[in-house]
């Protein structure tokens, strides 16, 4: 056994994650004079945020209003959004977008100088502000530039392993608080190859989504649901995790990577066509190609199963914009793969994209554990219900970060200086390289099981099959984890199997089809609305 005894880093607020949620939150709390640190597991820009294409949905034009945006969000959410939360978050949108503009985000504009508004599925109006099709990168760059000037410590290649809570300390006879609260965290420093302990009065989970639980996803490799797993292990229930959003249009590639073709392409007139070159969405929804995402993804799945084709196609001849100018990122990535989207219909398939559920929070990002906050895709506020409206995610993150920062400052003002010295990490004996092959097989099996049995169309039998496999995998991985010297792939695998099982348990709880959860065994909706909750895992 190796025990490291080194001086412990100490902060008022530790933020895990450097996407839009973590960076926006950090800026506001640092402005109030608190000691803030961001720890992020790869390089600082690597996040889902960095890949966002379509934009940020917010009411800015004269023909639009808050009620319409609220209504579209509620409809997409298929009855399960919290209407109060929806209104409160959406109404703050315009002010928060002004903050982004002040920080240097230059949203695309029309020739006459007015802001250019995109349209996406489920929106009754054009209201999506964008920077061509690289909106996420523009936001990430601007936030990082501002962070650099604010005195926030930013640590790259530090992987958050677990929260240290008062309850855990009490068990070790080291606690000073009777009620449970956050005391700090363990981080794996991937460059030094060791674990450090960090003391914090408050912690924000801003770790993003869970796309990597599936074989095919739009999400980058960081999206391994670490924050959800950490919160669950710290004693919190998770909410509505069955609602995994599949984006309808990702570039079909035999290599397995799934480059996103933004929905905004359909907003400018592109149409999905079947194996015979015929548009088919009208059969499924009056909004046809611009129906909410759950409807379009299911329709594609149905068409592919019916025809036996490996993809459908996105046809672009009637577009009202110059494709190359409006969608330079999509254009370049299609061309790289040998497809000229202005001449050939783009082969597309759905892929796992967004987690609508997560760690339940109040409207100030607080969770049920004192001192623990969650913001962005890791959190479940009630905004998205059973299916997120396009481009409401960046909006939610930036609005909630503002609200959460105000709340955390009040919490920190009420905290006394802590005297407790947190326990150091104790490593296992098994070198991480041992049984590496078994671990990568476990990862493949997990992702394959989620893709095959917990996808767009589900059944109780398939979910139970997935559950049986995941339960075994979890036992095997945990057994290895407790004896091994940790490294990033092992830590990610442990979190992925934890959250994959939480997704399946949530799906098994929902005995109806609603939004993104469609099961052939319960095709109708129940009259009684409910959010699913799955108890903490150890
Ligand atoms: P992220 O941006 O994913 O950031 C998470 C951060 O946490 C990363 O820095 C990561 O490295 C870090 N992290 C994770 N785990 C750990 C750990 N254990 N230790 C340390 N650090 C950790 N939404 C929209 O509203 N509009 C769009 O146009 C849009 N387009 C999208 C396109 C793509 C391809 C994708 C994948 C998503 C898109 N989304 C869009 C969704 C949106 O981008 C995300 O929901 C949003 O960016 C999430 O922000 P976040 O800050 O919560 O998480
Ligand atoms: C897209 O650009 O199609 C993705 C938008 C989103 O996920 O909100």
């Amino acid at each position: 056994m190796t025990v490291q005894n080194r001086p412990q880093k100490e902060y008022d607020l530790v933020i895990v994650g450097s996407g839009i949620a973590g960076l926006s939150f950090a800026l506001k709390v640092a402005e109030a004079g608190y000691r803030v640190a961001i720890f992020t597991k790869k390089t600082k820009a690597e996040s889902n945020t960095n890949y966002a294409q379509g934009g940020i949905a917010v009411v800015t034009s004269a023909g639009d209003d808050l009620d319409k945006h609220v209504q579209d969000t509620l409809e997409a959410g298929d009855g399960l959004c919290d209407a109060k939360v929806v209104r409160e978050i959406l109404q703050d949108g315009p002010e928060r977008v002004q903050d982004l503009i002040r920080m240097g985000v230059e949203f695309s504009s029309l020739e006459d100088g007015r802001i250019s508004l995109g349209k996406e599925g489920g929106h009754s109006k054009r209201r999506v502000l964008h920077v061509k099709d690289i909106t996420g990168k523009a936001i990430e760059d601007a936030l990082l530039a501002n962070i650099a000037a604010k005195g926030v410590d930013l640590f790259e290649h530090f992987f958050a392993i677990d929260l240290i809570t008062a309850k855990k300390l009490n068990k070790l006879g080291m606690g000073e608080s009777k009620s449970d609260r956050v005391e700090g965290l363990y981080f794996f420093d991937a460059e030094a190859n060791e674990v450090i302990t960090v003391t914090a009065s408050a912690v924000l989970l801003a770790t993003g989504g869970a796309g990597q639980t599936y074989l095919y996803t739009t999400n980058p490799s960081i999206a391994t649901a670490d924050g959800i797993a950490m919160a669950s292990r710290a004693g919190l229930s998770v909410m509505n995790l069955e609602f995994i959003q599949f984006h309808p249009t990702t570039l079909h590639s035999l290599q397995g990577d799934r480059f996103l073709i933004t929905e905004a392409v359909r907003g400018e007139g592109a149409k999905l066509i079947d194996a015979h070159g015929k548009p088919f969405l009208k059969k499924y929804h009056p909004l046809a190609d611009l129906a909410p995402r759950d409807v379009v993804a299911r329709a594609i799945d149905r068409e592919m199963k019916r025809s036996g084709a490996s993809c459908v196609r996105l046809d672009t001849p009637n577009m009202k914009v110059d494709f190359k100018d409006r969608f330079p990122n999509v254009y370049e990535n299609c061309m790289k793969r040998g497809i000229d989207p202005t001449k050939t219909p783009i082969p597309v398939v759905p892929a796992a994209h967004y987690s609508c559920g997560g760690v339940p929070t109040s409207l100030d990002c607080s969770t049920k554990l004192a001192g623990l906050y969650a913001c962005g895709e890791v959190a479940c506020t009630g905004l998205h219900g059973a299916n997120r409206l396009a481009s409401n995610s960046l909006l939610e993150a930036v609005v909630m970060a503002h609200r959460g920062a105000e709340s955390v400052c009040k919490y920190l003002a009420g905290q006394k200086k802590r005297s407790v010295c947190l326990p150091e990490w104790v490593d296992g004996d098994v070198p991480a390289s041992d049984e590496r092959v078994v671990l990568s097989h476990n990862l493949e099996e997990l992702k394959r099981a989620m893709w095959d049995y917990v996808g767009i169309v589900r059944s109780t039998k398939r979910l139970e099959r997935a559950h049986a496999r995941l339960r075994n995998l979890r036992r095997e991985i945990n057994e290895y984890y407790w004896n091994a010297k940790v490294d990033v792939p092992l830590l990610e695998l442990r979190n992925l199997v934890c959250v994959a099982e939480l997704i399946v348990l949530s799906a098994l709880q929902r005995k109806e089809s609603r939004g993104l959860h469609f099961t052939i065994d319960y095709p109708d909706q129940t009259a009684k609305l409910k959010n699913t909750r799955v108890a903490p895992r150890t």
Side-chain angles (χ1 to χ4, degrees), residues 123 129 270 278 308 344 348 357 359 363 507:
H123 287 277
L129 275 68
K278 296 248 175 326
T344 322
V348 288
V359 180
L363 263 170

Side-chain angles (χ1 to χ4, degrees), residues 393-407:
S393 170
L394 295 174
L395 178 76
E396 180 189 44
V398 80
V399 166
M400 289 301 295
H402 182 84
R403 287 170 162 260
E406 283 178 356
S407 166

Side-chain angles (χ1 to χ4, degrees), residues 53-55 120 245 247 260-264 293 353 388-393:
Q53 294 185 6
E120 291 180 47
Q245 184 170 71
H247 197 291
L260 182 81
I261 310 293
T262 173
E263 216 159 273
R293 238 170 237 181
H353 181 61
R388 174 175 67 94
L389 182 68
S391 288
N392 265 358
S393 170

Side-chain angles (χ1 to χ4, degrees), residues 12-63:
D12 297 317
L13 173 65
V14 165
I15 294 179
V16 187
S18 56
I20 186 171
L23 294 174
S24 309
F25 208 108
L27 282 169
K28 310 240 164 175
V29 180
E31 268 165 22
Y34 289 105
R35 293 166 308 157
V36 180
I38 300 175
F39 291 79
T40 195
K41 70 180 184 182
K42 282 202 166 175
T43 49
K44 57 192 173 193
E46 194 53 12
S47 56
N48 275 8
T49 301
N50 208 37
Y51 297 91
Q53 294 185 6
I56 180 162
V58 69
V59 172
T60 54
S61 70

Side-chain angles (χ1 to χ4, degrees), residues 378-534:
V378 66
C380 182
T381 59
L383 172 68
H384 308 308
N387 173 45
R388 174 175 67 94
L389 182 68
S391 288
N392 265 358
S393 170
L394 295 174
L395 178 76
E396 180 189 44
V398 80
V399 166
M400 289 301 295
H402 182 84
R403 287 170 162 260
E406 283 178 356
S407 166
V408 99
C409 289
K410 281 191 203 133
Y411 178 80
L412 291 173
Q415 295 297 300
K416 288 200 217 97
K417 176 130 184 62
R418 292 164 192 216
S419 56
V420 62
C421 180
L422 299 179
E424 294 287 343
W425 179 263
V426 180
D427 251 340
D429 289 329
V430 182
S433 57
D434 193 35
E435 297 205 45
R436 259 291 67 107
V437 171
V438 178
L439 293 184
S440 69
H441 290 171
N442 283 349
L443 179 62
E444 279 163 34
E445 191 179 337
L446 179 159
K447 284 167 170 267
R448 171 59 73 188
M450 291 299 283
W451 185 256
D452 287 346
Y453 303 130
V454 199
I456 296 173
V457 175
R458 300 167 178 177
S459 73
T460 305
K461 198 165 156 194
R462 281 186 214 156
L463 292 175
E464 281 168 352
R465 211 170 263 175
H467 189 214
R469 280 169 172 65
L470 292 169
R471 217 173 21 213
N472 285 341
L473 282 172
R474 178 166 55 83
R475 279 199 207 110
E476 216 170 294
I477 292 162
N478 279 346
E479 193 189 327
Y480 187 76
Y481 173 82
W482 286 113
N483 292 303
K485 187 170 173 356
V486 295
D487 62 10
V488 170
L490 176 59
L491 291 167
E492 289 188 337
L493 184 60
R494 175 188 182 224
N495 291 334
L496 285 169
V497 78
C498 167
V499 175
E501 202 183 357
L502 292 172
I503 294 170
V504 173
L505 290 171
S506 309
L508 281 166
Q509 265 188 38
R510 188 165 291 285
K511 307 272 188 248
E512 62 166 352
S513 290
R514 181 183 297 279
L516 296 157
H517 176 72
F518 182 84
T519 162
I520 52 175
D521 292 309
Y522 303 97
D524 301 321
Q525 296 196 340
T526 53
K528 197 160 174 266
L529 286 172
K530 75 160 195 153
N531 293 308
T532 59
R533 300 218 176 222
V534 181

Side-chain angles (χ1 to χ4, degrees), residues 343-363:
K343 299 199 174 105
T344 322
I346 311 169
V348 288
V349 281
H353 181 61
Y354 183 84
S355 170
C356 293
V359 180
T361 69
S362 304
L363 263 170

